Amino acid sequence: MTAYILRRLWQMVPTMLGVVILVFFLFNWVGGDPAYVLAGKISNQEQIDNIRRQLGVDQPYWVQLWIFIKQIVTGDFGASWSTNERIGSIILTRLPPSLTVLVPLTILDLLVSVGLALAVAYVRGSLTDRAVMIVCTVGLSISILVYIIVFQYVFAYKLGWFPVQGWGDSFWENLVRYSSLPILIGLTVSIAPSLRLYRTFVLDEINQDYVRTARAKGLSENRIMWIHVLRNASIPIITNVMASLPGLLIGAFLIERFFSIPGIGREVILAVERSDFPVIKAITVYVAVATMVFNLLADLMYKAVDPRVQLR
Amino acid sequence: MATDTKSAAGEPLVAVRDLRVSFRLGGDAIFEAVKGVSFDIPVHSTVALVGESGSGKSVTALSILGLLPPENSIVDARSRIEFGGRNLVGLPMRAMREMRGADISMIFQEPMTSLNPVFTVGFQLAEVLHLHRGLSPRAARKRAIELLDEVGIPEPRRRIDAFPSQMSGGQQQRVMIAMAIACEPKLLIADEPTTALDVTIQKQILDLIAALQRRHRMSVLFITHDLAVVGEIADHVVVMRNGEVREQGPAKQVFEAPRDDYTKALLQCRPELDHRPMRLPVIDDFMGGSGPQHTEERKRGVAPGDAVVLDVKGLGKSFFVREGVFGRREFKAAADVSFKLRRGRTLGLVGESGSGKTTVGLTLMRLHEATAGVALFEGRDILSMSDREFMAYKKRIQIIFQNPYASLNPRFTIGQILTEPMQIHGIGANVRERTDLVFELLGKVGLPDASFYKYPHEFSGGQRQRVAIARCLTLKPEVLICDESVSALDVSVQAQVLNLLQDLQDEFNLAYLFISHDLAVVKYISDEVMVMNEGRVVELADADTIYRHPRETYTQRLLSAIPKGWHAARAAA
Amino acid sequence: MATSEAALPRNADGTRVVPHNVSPGLWTLAWRRLRADRVGMVSLAIVAAFLLMMALSAAGLIARDWSKEVGVNYAPPSFIGADEASGTPAAPAAAPEPAAPSTEWKTQIVDPLADVIAELKGAKPAAAPPPSGGTEGKSVDPLADVMADIRAGKGTTAAAPAEARRATLPFGGDKWGRDVIAKTIKGSETSIFVGIMSAIVAVALGTLFGAISGYYGGWVDDAFNWFYSVFNSIPYLLLILAVAAVLQQKGVVTIILILGLTGWTGVFRLIRAEYLKHKAREYVQAADAIGASNARRMFVHIFPNVSHVVLVQLSILAVGFIKAEVILSFLGFGVPVDVVSWGSMLNEAQNELILGKWWQLVAATVAMATLVTAFSLFTDALRDALDPKLKGLKGH
């Protein structure tokens, strides 16, 4: 087990190096000279010169790459080009609002869609099953933008049930007052794909031989679904959720943007609009590390829930 | 139909009357799987339901417990399955559930997938005890340990907390049996319970079921395709084909004086250990035919003067598994394997699963890269030569695989499949010549000309295996590796393909390496036999010598596990 | 392939005559199954209709005059009737020329809704919260002034002849009185083209990489897997946004490349797994045994047997990319500002909704939802037809 974790960590090194090269290629090579990029965005020539010196733009690419790697290893990505805020503090202050929305959203999505998936898989092939699946398909076809625009307009603006947007300083106020509508929208958008996916996981299990054995033992359909099938279907569901967590951080960017929630996703959009390269670079690298770590955690979790898996 | 079982044993435990089951195939298509089957299961006796694939034997068994998939199966409402004064057809779900696992229980073919992989065997055993007997967790666990002990699981106190994946296939089937007998059922339905197991394990499981049947005074409905197994355990036999009962009666009558032509064919198509006719009788000989044609015995064995085609010395193949931080572990699939293949002769290669026999075949064909040894083809080592050089030898050494459904490309017509090798190797001057040759070969393997334009999915397993054989023949090889080539086929088809292989060997003087786990088939077709276990050669000798006087204990154990069939079993008793 | 050779019937020149009935192949059978699937065929017809619409629009046969201001500003749909306040033919126009309004979107930042809401806050103070908590540098919407002007009814210029403007349009008009239906048709051109082309790029890359990687294994597989895990470590959206950030010029080709070059990983994983599976299948080993070359085994033997996966992936990705294009264009990272797409329509629509002008939102949403629903249902039908044993298992 320990050996497995060590080997996996060791295997992350080349992947990380690849991410570094990819990001470097994008921003230093494709992105080009910051003086050009920032023309019109920052008028202070001295600041631009300063940025160019920090990046070593005049020096060969390998020196620039080395500067970038040093930044990653020390965790010091410098400051934002547009607001001059330290990158470390940007990430630390943007993370809590994102999590305030995402953690409840993920938990609710999991509970609701797993429950629904078991229910529709139980009546598979029936009219209900088909109707739910059609609703899911149609629901999935409408852009998330439309959900946000319409929900914000109807529930916040017209009916006044929720604030239209904003963010406060108290955790509970943020969670209850400002996050409710974003979470509701997030759920509306995420349940359809989750339900479809989890339903196939459950159906895969329902057709297994051990379900026939359970029936031959005289177990009730309820027990078969909730104990035997769910326990097996939870294996792909858990690993799926684990592996998708880091991506969610970015995935909620539209919701954060519309509701002015100062989270990571909105920060990325802002940075892209301002060509604020250091912020994007730093977030990309951190999220990549998080993804790799969560993938490893997903595999370890897999081991924990599936006795067949041997991690060597 | 046969009502004599009833009169012999009083009121039967189960009476199946005019059972009809069909399946919806999508659209309006309906497939009738069981067409009016009637038979009895007397108390305290073992009834064997015998048939080839598509006979409807498993469907019949599943319908007793109402386990057919509800989405697409229809059991005719007039069918009756009487058990304890009740008709099980159309029984309310609740009543059926109370019966399942308590009065009637069932075990299946694949113990590995039939147990829930994420729960311990103890949990799964306790579940059924709690459900039907209302035992407390502590009492259920105690009883589960007793049950595991009874079915022969070593160290049951420790193994009760094991997951199914931590057990061998035989042990898994023992756990399934423990679960099935936990509530002292009156009837145990065993659906091909030993088909997925090695022959030595099969013997143990069969003995276990027989012992439990006697001890618990229950009835057993044993579903199988293997008549040899039936001969050892059954009191009554029901023979099915295409959804209909062909013959039924006491085992003695069915085996010694079969009335039905199909039953006669089934009994004789299968190669027997003490008997080796020139050609195996095939089903057509009985069904409207004039009975077996070739009764004279075939001589087997190698002579010192036989020319050696392929000389294999010290062949080895290792696989590596990652382990630890940087380490890897070597797994020797085959080690130090040496043998000679002689022109016009067959070397049978037998062993249980994991013995490395298939690895040897694939390595010789260079489908796996050998890690040690040489294979001399007329003095040249085919294992160490370059791919380009080996290309010329691919014409001379060919392979036929086990699964006829996987070995033909589903997107090619039979014509394309058969012309491709000639195209690659430049055999035949033009399209016309190649096509002519294909038609000639189709005739040789007994397929109609019209097959040329058909796709593999339109053929049965036996026909596909003929196509695979024809594909090898297009290259006119000298050595043919048959990797479990008849193992997936039904008994009656198996005989036809074995006869075809024998005819081709006689005609083209082919050397066969015949790999199989089926000891009776190997005995029939081989001149020499090599026994492998855990990657190593245990024994190599003339076929008759090795079966009559096995030297090694492993060989002796293996041979004694072969189901002997009715006559041998009665002779021993 | 051996196809050409196999199709030879025999002549009656002394050799045997064979009944020449070529059996239906798996593709024919799949097509028959698809044709029997009513939902699948209806979806296919709808998708085909959209594609036809796109082609006609691209050829300039329909919706060519989408940028003409044929109606009054915010002309309501005909079935509602002319708007009392601004629907009179004498109402002043807001913008002088069609290209002008679009250029303003370029500089628009963060939250276009904020200003509208801020403005409305005066009337409904209870509804809006104080903007607080670290939302630094909230940008100003340059459009707000224009919109305020429009609402106040004092246009900056009155260029177009007022008599030519209609009070209502079949499904309403936008801010400048352009026909929403024509815009929707024109917008489909961009959205569908981008969606399908980037799906082709992504699937082609994923299939090629996956085939090579899965087939050859060994160090080739290691190399591609490394490449895959690098791309897979960065969430897809972040990667798209990062590429959008560094690419300065915008255009249809750019966005196709962005989506295509970042979207191949899922296809790669699937195709690699398929090749790994098929490589071990006996029919491929048999092909090896008869001497078929690597390329022949890869493309002639295996590829036709995994091509249904490729087809279904293409369909799934096209749907995903149509949706992605809409979001990117909405954010202003997508197609250039003078090109209309469903995404830019939604962008305009969100401001209009506050004013109660819902028709542009509905038009773009319905068009997109219809296409994407039909596409998804068709994908499901396709999968069922190509792989009948999965029928009913994988959604509807």
Side-chain angles (χ1 to χ4, degrees):
Chain A
M1 187 71 165
T2 322
Y4 174 79
I5 297 176
L6 283 176
R7 197 176 74 233
R8 281 289 302 266
L9 288 172
W10 170 244
Q11 283 168 347
M12 279 182 197
V13 174
T15 310
M16 197 54 226
L17 205 63
V19 171
V20 169
I21 292 172
L22 182 69
V23 172
F24 178 79
F25 168 80
L26 272 181
F27 288 94
N28 289 48
W29 199 74
V30 181
D33 192 330
Y36 172 71
V37 176
L38 295 173
K41 288 188 176 117
I42 298 179
S43 47
N44 184 350
Q45 187 57 40
E46 195 184 316
Q47 196 187 341
I48 292 184
D49 288 344
N50 202 17
I51 289 168
R52 296 192 71 204
R53 206 171 326 113
Q54 275 173 18
L55 288 176
V57 173
D58 301 327
Q59 299 180 49
Y61 277 117
W62 64 270
V63 177
Q64 296 181 34
L65 181 60
W66 178 242
I67 292 172
F68 183 39
I69 291 178
K70 262 201 306 212
Q71 285 182 336
I72 293 168
V73 173
T74 56
D76 180 9
F77 285 88
S80 157
W81 284 353
S82 36
T83 60
N84 235 353
E85 195 179 350
R86 301 299 298 173
I87 306 267
S89 104
I90 290 185
I91 290 178
L92 282 181
T93 52
R94 304 303 187 271
L95 202 53
S98 285
L99 293 181
T100 309
V101 177
L102 289 176
V103 171
L105 172 59
T106 309
I107 294 171
L108 286 174
D109 171 59
L110 192 63
L111 292 179
V112 176
S113 44
V114 168
L116 282 176
L118 281 171
V120 292
Y122 182 69
V123 295
R124 62 193 174 282
S126 72
L127 210 61
T128 319
D129 178 32
R130 289 179 68 92
V132 170
M133 285 301 111
I134 294 274
V135 169
C136 277
T137 308
V138 175
L140 263 172
S141 310
I142 298 170
S143 177
I144 178 174
L145 292 165
V146 175
Y147 285 106
I148 300 178
I149 293 172
V150 170
F151 275 46
Q152 197 176 36
Y153 176 71
V154 173
F155 292 117
Y157 177 67
K158 274 277 176 193
L159 299 175
W161 293 354
F162 306 97
V164 174
Q165 54 175 225
W167 201 253
D169 293 324
S170 121
F171 169 73
W172 289 109
E173 186 196 7
N174 285 337
L175 181 66
V176 177
R177 186 168 149 77
Y178 294 118
S179 301
S180 304
L181 187 55
I183 290 174
L184 181 68
I185 294 175
L187 271 182
T188 315
V189 178
S190 66
I191 281 181
S194 309
L195 174 55
R196 269 180 74 114
L197 185 67
Y198 298 163
R199 177 176 170 275
T200 63
F201 289 159
V202 173
L203 285 186
D204 282 348
E205 294 301 330
I206 282 184
N207 292 311
Q208 296 293 322
D209 285 351
Y210 69 80
V211 173
R212 190 178 57 185
T213 307
R215 291 212 179 95
K217 278 156 80 172
L219 300 185
S220 68
E221 287 297 311
N222 268 331
R223 186 171 170 91
I224 293 173
M225 287 301 277
W226 289 99
I227 306 288
H228 286 254
V229 170
L230 180 59
R231 180 67 175 75
N232 279 279
S234 67
I235 295 167
I237 292 175
I238 287 174
T239 45
N240 192 62
V241 169
M242 283 298 285
S244 69
L245 282 179
L248 268 179
L249 217 50
I250 308 299
F253 73 102
L254 281 172
I255 289 178
E256 291 184 0
R257 180 178 186 273
F258 271 89
F259 288 95
S260 292
I261 298 168
I264 297 275
R266 182 166 164 279
E267 194 61 37
V268 172
I269 300 286
L270 278 171
V272 171
E273 279 166 341
R274 294 166 178 161
S275 300
D276 200 344
F277 288 1
V279 177
I280 314 177
K281 270 195 228 175
I283 291 181
T284 310
V285 169
Y286 281 128
V287 172
V289 172
T291 309
M292 283 182 253
V293 171
F294 272 81
N295 275 335
L296 174 58
L297 287 178
D299 285 356
L300 294 179
M301 199 85 123
Y302 194 84
K303 161 69 188 153
V305 289
D306 190 343
R308 284 165 297 185
V309 180
Q310 297 281 322
L311 301 181
R312 262 195 259 275
Chain B
M1 297 267 174
T3 43
D4 51 337
T5 51
K6 197 172 176 176
S7 56
E11 194 65 15
L13 182 68
V14 176
V16 178
R17 289 291 172 271
D18 198 25
L19 179 68
R20 290 171 191 277
V21 185
S22 22
F23 289 94
R24 277 187 290 270
L25 294 180
D28 299 327
I30 293 259
F31 170 68
E32 244 189 303
V34 176
K35 308 164 186 165
V37 162
S38 304
F39 63 93
D40 289 333
I41 304 173
V43 286
H44 313 321
S45 70
T46 301
V47 175
L49 204 51
V50 193
E52 298 181 300
S53 50
S55 62
K57 57 188 191 299
S58 283
V59 175
T60 304
L62 287 171
S63 48
I64 294 177
L65 270 184
L67 286 175
L68 292 168
E71 300 95 69
N72 62 347
S73 64
I74 316 156
V75 180
D76 191 300
R78 283 163 302 176
S79 309
R80 298 185 62 77
I81 300 173
E82 279 167 25
F83 175 82
R86 284 199 285 189
N87 183 7
L88 300 187
V89 176
L91 196 69
M93 211 52 216
R94 187 172 204 86
M96 182 58 102
R97 274 209 301 271
E98 280 166 8
M99 190 166 301
R100 288 175 182 169
D103 297 320
I104 305 177
S105 57
M106 187 156 182
I107 59 175
F108 302 96
Q109 178 170 348
E110 296 284 349
M112 177 67 154
T113 56
S114 294
L115 286 167
N116 193 326
V118 297
F119 293 116
T120 62
V121 298
F123 176 93
Q124 299 184 54
L125 268 166
E127 195 175 28
V128 70
L129 289 166
H130 173 76
L131 179 73
H132 293 297
R133 288 286 160 96
L135 293 191
S136 67
R138 177 188 289 269
R141 186 178 168 87
K142 186 163 166 286
R143 177 81 183 112
I145 292 174
E146 287 169 18
L147 282 164
L148 288 179
D149 192 37
E150 180 169 7
V151 297
I153 300 278
E155 295 186 73
R157 253 167 236 292
R158 196 170 60 81
R159 301 296 279 166
I160 190 169
D161 294 318
F163 288 98
S165 52
Q166 295 163 337
M167 298 183 141
S168 69
Q171 286 179 331
Q172 288 168 352
Q173 196 60 292
R174 285 173 194 269
V175 171
M176 282 295 291
I177 293 172
M179 234 154 67
I181 61 163
C183 299
E184 304 273 338
K186 298 192 184 71
L187 173 65
L188 170 69
I189 304 175
D191 188 359
E192 302 258 13
T194 58
T195 308
L197 303 174
D198 278 327
V199 61
T200 48
I201 311 294
Q202 161 168 300
K203 172 120 180 92
Q204 295 167 8
I205 297 292
L206 288 177
D207 290 347
L208 175 65
I209 291 176
L212 291 172
Q213 187 259 328
R214 282 191 297 273
R215 195 180 318 148
H216 295 274
R217 300 186 59 73
M218 56 183 183
S219 291
V220 174
L221 177 63
F222 196 96
I223 291 103
T224 183
H225 67 282
D226 190 347
L227 270 170
V229 169
V230 174
E232 296 206 333
I233 58 160
D235 302 314
H236 303 271
V237 179
V238 181
V239 181
M240 284 183 73
R241 190 190 195 202
N242 297 334
E244 288 167 339
V245 172
R246 297 291 306 215
E247 179 164 9
Q248 58 178 311
K252 184 176 166 62
Q253 176 247 307
V254 172
F255 277 98
E256 289 178 359
R259 279 172 242 153
D260 181 67
D261 288 340
Y262 177 71
T263 313
K264 288 182 198 161
L266 272 191
L267 283 169
Q268 298 206 30
C269 289
R270 172 110 185 120
E272 283 178 51
L273 286 171
D274 51 357
H275 189 57
R276 191 189 277 143
M278 281 304 276
R279 288 176 61 95
L280 285 168
V282 296
I283 200 148
D284 291 340
D285 296 340
F286 299 92
M287 307 290 283
S290 48
Q293 303 295 311
H294 303 271
T295 42
E296 73 267 40
E297 290 280 302
R298 180 181 281 274
K299 281 263 177 290
R300 290 288 192 189
V302 294
D306 289 338
V308 173
V309 200
L310 193 63
D311 191 357
V312 179
K313 290 175 187 164
L315 184 70
K317 171 68 193 170
S318 298
F319 295 98
F320 294 92
V321 221
R322 276 192 188 154
E323 201 176 53
V325 186
F326 302 109
R328 52 181 205 163
R329 197 162 51 101
E330 184 181 7
F331 166 69
K332 285 186 176 167
D336 197 24
V337 176
S338 305
F339 58 88
K340 292 180 171 65
L341 281 187
R342 293 176 168 84
R343 201 173 293 283
R345 298 288 171 203
T346 302
L347 172 67
L349 175 46
V350 290
E352 298 185 290
S353 50
S355 64
K357 57 188 192 301
T358 291
T359 308
V360 170
L362 294 179
T363 310
L364 281 181
M365 204 57 227
R366 303 221 330 188
L367 296 171
H368 283 168
E369 207 176 319
T371 37
V374 292
L376 300 176
F377 201 114
E378 292 176 350
R380 290 268 287 131
D381 179 19
I382 56 169
L383 297 180
S384 62
M385 62 178 56
S386 72
D387 282 344
R388 190 179 297 273
E389 278 179 290
F390 185 63
M391 195 64 182
Y393 285 87
K394 278 184 177 169
K395 275 195 284 188
R396 309 175 68 178
I397 174 166
Q398 273 297 317
I399 184 163
I400 305 167
F401 295 97
Q402 168 173 15
N403 187 347
Y405 295 89
S407 63
L408 305 177
N409 191 332
R411 306 271 169 185
F412 281 24
T413 63
I414 304 305
Q416 288 170 342
I417 289 171
L418 295 183
T419 28
E420 191 190 17
M422 294 191 266
Q423 226 181 323
I424 290 170
H425 290 275
I427 295 169
N430 51 33
V431 175
R432 186 56 193 286
E433 264 187 55
R434 288 200 269 268
T435 317
D436 275 342
L437 198 66
V438 168
F439 280 114
E440 197 188 312
L441 283 172
L442 280 177
K444 203 148 261 167
V445 297
L447 289 173
D449 284 351
S451 317
F452 192 88
Y453 301 103
K454 291 196 165 148
Y455 285 89
H457 63 85
E458 297 170 81
F459 292 92
S460 68
Q463 288 171 318
R464 291 183 204 211
Q465 207 60 303
R466 287 167 191 270
V467 174
I469 292 170
R471 175 173 55 194
C472 293
L473 293 181
T474 56
L475 295 174
K476 305 214 180 331
E478 292 155 61
V479 174
L480 206 48
I481 301 168
C482 304
D483 184 7
E484 299 271 14
S485 301
V486 297
S487 306
L489 304 176
D490 276 326
V491 180
S492 59
V493 183
Q494 201 176 53
Q496 293 167 356
V497 175
L498 284 171
N499 281 341
L500 173 65
L501 285 172
Q502 190 56 60
D503 292 346
L504 295 170
Q505 183 171 51
D506 292 346
E507 184 176 347
F508 299 110
N509 215 18
L510 295 167
Y512 287 152
L513 176 61
F514 194 93
I515 302 165
S516 180
H517 70 279
D518 189 329
L519 295 150
V521 168
V522 168
K523 165 93 196 302
Y524 172 74
I525 195 98
S526 306
D527 296 290
E528 279 182 296
V529 171
M530 179 162 86
V531 181
M532 281 187 74
N533 185 32
E534 290 173 351
R536 293 181 178 277
V537 176
V538 176
E539 195 166 353
L540 169 62
D542 263 22
D544 289 332
T545 317
I546 210 167
Y547 277 76
R548 220 168 286 148
H549 309 290
R551 272 183 292 124
E552 304 294 324
T553 38
Y554 178 75
T555 317
Q556 288 161 4
R557 199 152 55 83
L558 196 63
L559 292 174
S560 67
I562 307 175
K564 303 293 186 301
W566 173 261
H567 298 285
R570 300 302 124 162
Chain C
M1 279 192 69
T3 326
S4 53
E5 299 210 2
L8 273 194
R10 330 294 328 290
N11 293 325
D13 57 351
T15 51
R16 102 199 74 188
V17 180
V18 176
H20 182 192
N21 298 326
V22 179
S23 295
L26 292 186
W27 286 115
T28 320
L29 290 177
W31 171 241
R32 278 187 202 160
R33 277 193 294 269
L34 186 61
R35 254 197 340 213
D37 186 337
R38 214 173 304 147
V39 177
M41 286 317 279
V42 171
S43 325
L44 179 59
I46 295 175
V47 172
F50 269 91
L51 290 177
L52 182 70
M53 186 172 92
M54 181 192 101
L56 289 178
S57 158
L61 293 173
I62 53 170
R64 187 169 38 179
D65 297 331
W66 68 276
S67 57
K68 277 226 181 91
E69 291 149 31
V70 290
V72 297
N73 305 330
Y74 293 122
S78 305
F79 50 84
I80 288 186
D83 190 6
E84 299 274 309
S86 62
T88 54
E97 51 208 24
S102 328
T103 49
E104 291 167 2
W105 298 100
K106 185 158 44 180
T107 46
Q108 180 188 329
I109 316 178
V110 204
D111 199 340
L113 202 62
D115 301 277
V116 180
I117 287 161
E119 194 182 290
L120 291 160
K121 203 164 56 174
K124 283 181 81 178
S132 56
T135 53
E136 84 303 333
K138 180 168 285 177
S139 61
V140 175
D141 187 353
L143 201 67
D145 298 331
V146 181
M147 293 185 63
D149 284 349
I150 297 166
R151 261 167 269 140
K154 50 173 175 80
T156 46
T157 39
E163 309 80 61
R165 308 280 201 102
R166 287 157 57 191
T168 63
L169 289 168
F171 204 82
D174 70 359
K175 186 166 42 171
W176 292 277
R178 295 180 296 187
D179 184 9
V180 163
I181 291 185
K183 270 183 92 175
T184 309
I185 293 174
K186 196 66 189 169
S188 75
E189 204 185 296
T190 317
S191 300
I192 300 176
F193 183 72
V194 166
I196 291 181
M197 285 313 290
S198 32
I200 289 175
V201 172
V203 168
L205 280 179
T207 305
L208 187 68
F209 292 173
I212 295 173
S213 180
Y215 182 79
Y216 283 104
W219 68 266
V220 179
D221 189 30
D222 288 344
F224 275 108
N225 264 330
W226 171 78
F227 202 49
Y228 164 79
S229 58
V230 167
F231 269 80
N232 210 36
S233 307
I234 307 174
Y236 183 51
L237 263 166
L238 186 57
L239 195 57
I240 291 180
L241 292 174
V243 177
V246 296
L247 285 180
Q248 293 302 314
Q249 83 264 39
K250 287 170 182 156
V252 171
V253 176
T254 313
I255 185 166
I256 288 174
L257 285 180
I258 292 180
L259 292 173
L261 293 180
T262 52
W264 56 272
T265 49
V267 185
F268 167 83
R269 207 189 64 234
L270 278 175
I271 297 293
R272 177 178 171 273
E274 284 291 314
Y275 265 79
L276 271 177
K277 190 173 81 189
H278 280 270
K279 184 176 72 167
R281 287 262 167 95
E282 293 178 343
Y283 77 91
V284 180
Q285 298 205 325
D288 187 356
I290 60 164
S293 63
N294 283 326
R296 189 176 175 88
R297 268 177 275 157
M298 256 171 100
F299 297 113
V300 178
H301 282 270
I302 302 181
F303 186 74
N305 285 295
V306 303
S307 52
H308 64 282
V309 181
V310 176
L311 212 57
V312 170
Q313 282 303 305
L314 189 67
S315 195
I316 289 174
L317 279 187
V319 169
F321 287 153
I322 288 172
K323 289 163 81 175
E325 189 277 337
V326 167
I327 290 174
L328 284 181
S329 294
F330 176 89
L331 292 170
F333 302 148
V335 294
V337 283
D338 54 337
V339 175
V340 65
S341 98
W342 291 339
S344 60
M345 285 177 72
L346 285 181
N347 196 333
E348 293 174 28
Q350 65 159 333
N351 293 332
E352 297 173 4
L353 189 62
I354 307 291
L355 305 171
K357 319 290 183 194
W358 47 266
W359 34 92
Q360 180 153 236
L361 175 76
V362 170
T365 305
V366 167
M368 183 180 151
T370 310
L371 171 68
V372 172
T373 303
F375 224 131
S376 309
L377 290 176
F378 170 67
T379 307
D380 288 344
L382 188 68
R383 180 164 38 198
D384 287 347
L386 293 171
D387 206 349
K389 63 180 177 293
L390 290 178
K391 190 165 174 67
L393 282 180
K394 308 279 176 189
H396 284 281

